[in-house]
Each structure stands twice: as structure tokens, then as C-alpha cells.
Amino acid sequence: MMYFQQKHVQKFMNKYKERARLLISCPDQPGIVAAVTTFLYEKGANIVESSQYSTDPEGGTFFLRIEFDAPNILERKKTIEKEFATIAQQFEMNWRLSLHTHVKKVAIFVSKEEHCLLELLWEWQAGELLADFALVISNHEQMRETVESFGIPYYYIPVTKETKEEAEEKQIQLLKEHDVDVIVLARYMQILSPHFVATFPAQIINIHHSFLPAFVGARPYEQAYRRGVKLIGATSHYVTDDLDEGPIIEQDVERVDHKHHVEDLKRIGRMIEKTVLVRALKWHLEDRVIIHENKTTVDEQNH
């Protein structure tokens, strides 16, 4: 990690050394919030942020995200988790306790287009993305100089139809060696195999234009231009075996009109893509996304 990033991380670690996050999903029923908040109070915790949502108060699924400060949370984490397990069992919870200071390791996959990669690197350099950018993997060499100028390892792994399986095994090995928490496809123009996706469930974030499914296949901007679209946009989602149909994290759109030509649509589309991808990654890094079936609940508080 480069010096400027280490400064951001160290400042963050010092400021939030006593903070943790509790993420919960369970069948909705009375008493969940009371039980959780009482437990945290008894552990000397001070709740600093809380967000909750129910798909249906009668028989639906309840989601809860709580941030709290607690003395010596790093040393007490395992004990708190063990003691909370009783409440979790009572309410049939899927739950996770994470430390605010756990800096997630990120791998970026990229092909030839640079706009999403550069936006991620600039946001990371500015301290807006608190993460460890562990490595960049590409099926082209173009981005090596740019990436290495940030002090990030760059791995060139070419992919062809004949070598795809071998290339993915190399990628998986690198990701495991670097102990990566999340993979970002920053306009990586290869379809990942079911084996790759299954190896990193709910850990792969993709970005694509929102023309799908209306304008599938090659040259979507040209197709959109011929149809005279009035809105273009981008979608960031988790990757599943169903191509471009994984749980959506974030979307955005921009109005266009008859004065915008194909190149204008591409330029505006690139702008939307990079901002949507950064938002999606930021929320994932901050544990603001909970996946339920093929949808997500996203706590956008303070954003």
C-alpha cells in the first residue's frame, strides 16, 4: 500500500478503533430491535447509526444494520459473537459482526477501457475508498504502467477460448494468495465461468450499461442512438451464473436527446459507469449491502 494510502488508513484506524457493525436478516417478528439493542447496551456499546427494513411486517424478512462503539472491541469480538449467538438462534438470524477497521482487500479486473479503473484509483488515492487495492488483473497489457505508478501489482493473464480454464485457475490462485475480499470487474470484457463465480460468492461486483436487456449484443450505444433513447445509464451488480442478472447494488441515469450523437452517448455512459461502480464498491466496503434472494437492501445513510 502506497504511503499516501497508508496515511488515510492509519487515520481511519485511529478514529474508528472501537467501532463495529452488526448486520442481521431474519423472519420479521416483534422484539428483534429490543433484543439487539438491549444486548449491545449490556455490553457497554453506544449505537451511532441504525437502519432497518421489513419486506412485510407479517411474515416478511427483517433487515437490520447497526454501527456501534464499544471499548476494546477488537479484543472482545469473539466473546461478543459467542454471547450474541443465543439471541441469533432465538430469532433465526443470519448475522455477521464486523470491525469497522477491517480494511477489505480488493482485486480489480480490467480489459482495455480505462475510465472505471482510473476512477477507482483516484478515489482510492484520495482516501474516499478505504480499502487495500491488492492487485489488478488484466487480459491486456495496456494498463500496466498506470497501475504500477500507484504501487499496485499488475498481472497480465491473456484469455482465449482455448486457454480460458487455465487462465481462470491462474486468476483464482492469485486471488487466494492475496487473500482478496472483493473482486471488481472494471469493464473486464470476459464472461466468468460458473466455477469462478462459485469460488467467490457475493464477492464479485460488475458494472455495465443499463441498456440491457433492451439493447443486447454488440454496439449497444449505436443501437440506442438509432432508437432515439431519452435516458442512458449504468448498473452495478453482484455477479451470478445468470449473465448480468445478479442482485443490483446501484444504478443511475442521465437524460439525453436528439442532439446527442453516438460518441456523446458513449462519453456520458462512461461518466455514469464510473460513478455508479465507485458508489457500489464503497457501500460494499462499508457493509451497507445485504443480499436477499436476487435483490439487495442498501443502507445509503450519509451518502
Side-chain angles (χ1 to χ4, degrees), residues 77-109:
K77 181 174 181 287
K78 288 185 178 180
T79 301
I80 290 175
E81 287 175 326
K82 184 178 180 180
E83 294 174 352
F84 186 76
T86 302
I87 294 175
Q89 185 176 13
Q90 176 187 347
F91 290 96
E92 301 178 59
M93 293 178 178
N94 291 316
W95 64 284
R96 175 163 58 91
L97 178 64
S98 66
L99 298 177
H100 206 73
T101 53
H102 171 64
V103 177
K104 294 181 176 65
K105 290 187 176 182
V106 177
I108 302 174
F109 279 50

Side-chain angles (χ1 to χ4, degrees), residues 13 74 96 150 157 215 226 264 287 296:
M13 301 280 277
L74 178 61
R96 175 163 58 91
F150 284 82
I157 303 178
F215 303 110
R226 288 195 297 270
D264 298 319
D287 296 319
T296 63

Side-chain angles (χ1 to χ4, degrees), residues 104-171:
K104 294 181 176 65
K105 290 187 176 182
V106 177
I108 302 174
F109 279 50
V110 66
S111 290
K112 291 183 177 180
E113 295 189 56
E114 65 180 9
H115 58 286
C116 287
L117 170 67
L118 290 176
E119 189 72 10
L120 290 167
L121 293 175
W122 290 332
E123 292 287 326
W124 176 75
Q125 183 181 37
E128 294 299 320
L129 287 173
L130 264 299
D132 179 358
F133 278 17
L135 73 161
V136 171
I137 294 176
S138 179
N139 56 330
H140 297 279
E141 280 279 18
Q142 279 93 321
M143 305 299 178
R144 177 180 295 278
E145 185 176 350
T146 298
V147 170
E148 291 182 345
S149 72
F150 284 82
I152 301 170
Y154 186 92
Y155 296 92
Y156 166 56
I157 303 178
V159 182
T160 65
K161 185 177 180 181
E162 294 73 26
T163 65
K164 183 177 179 65
E165 184 176 345
E166 179 186 352
E168 285 199 341
E169 285 305 319
K170 290 180 181 178
Q171 293 167 347

Side-chain angles (χ1 to χ4, degrees), residues 267-299:
R267 173 179 51 80
I268 296 169
R270 286 193 293 267
M271 178 185 67
I272 305 169
E273 286 173 6
K274 63 186 184 181
T275 55
V276 166
L277 182 59
V278 166
R279 273 188 227 135
L281 177 59
K282 186 178 180 71
W283 293 336
H284 179 92
L285 294 174
E286 296 177 354
D287 296 319
R288 293 186 179 275
V289 186
I290 300 177
I291 298 174
H292 176 60
E293 296 175 349
N294 200 46
K295 298 172 70 175
T296 63
T297 62
V298 182
D299 174 20

Side-chain angles (χ1 to χ4, degrees), residues 9-10 15 18 25 30 52 72 87 89 97 102 106 114 120 123 125 127 142 189 191-192 207-208 224 228 239 301:
V9 170
Q10 193 57 54
K15 183 176 181 180
E18 295 188 337
S25 62
Q52 64 192 62
N72 303 314
I87 294 175
Q89 185 176 13
L97 178 64
H102 171 64
V106 177
E114 65 180 9
L120 290 167
E123 292 287 326
Q125 183 181 37
Q142 279 93 321
M189 307 308 290
I191 296 175
L192 302 177
I207 184 71
H208 68 69
V239 175
Q301 190 168 341

Side-chain angles (χ1 to χ4, degrees), residues 185-228:
L185 307 183
R187 299 296 289 160
Y188 181 64
M189 307 308 290
Q190 294 287 329
I191 296 175
L192 302 177
S193 71
H195 169 63
F196 190 104
V197 174
T199 305
F200 304 98
Q203 292 175 271
I204 309 171
I205 297 175
N206 187 34
I207 184 71
H208 68 69
H209 49 76
S210 281
F211 297 136
L212 296 175
F215 303 110
V216 299
R219 304 173 71 83
Y221 286 98
E222 284 79 358
Q223 296 181 57
Y225 176 72
R226 288 195 297 270
R227 285 292 303 275

Side-chain angles (χ1 to χ4, degrees), residues 31-43:
I32 300 171
V33 175
V36 173
T37 54
T38 299
F39 173 84
L40 292 176
Y41 170 75
E42 291 173 349
K43 301 307 169 189

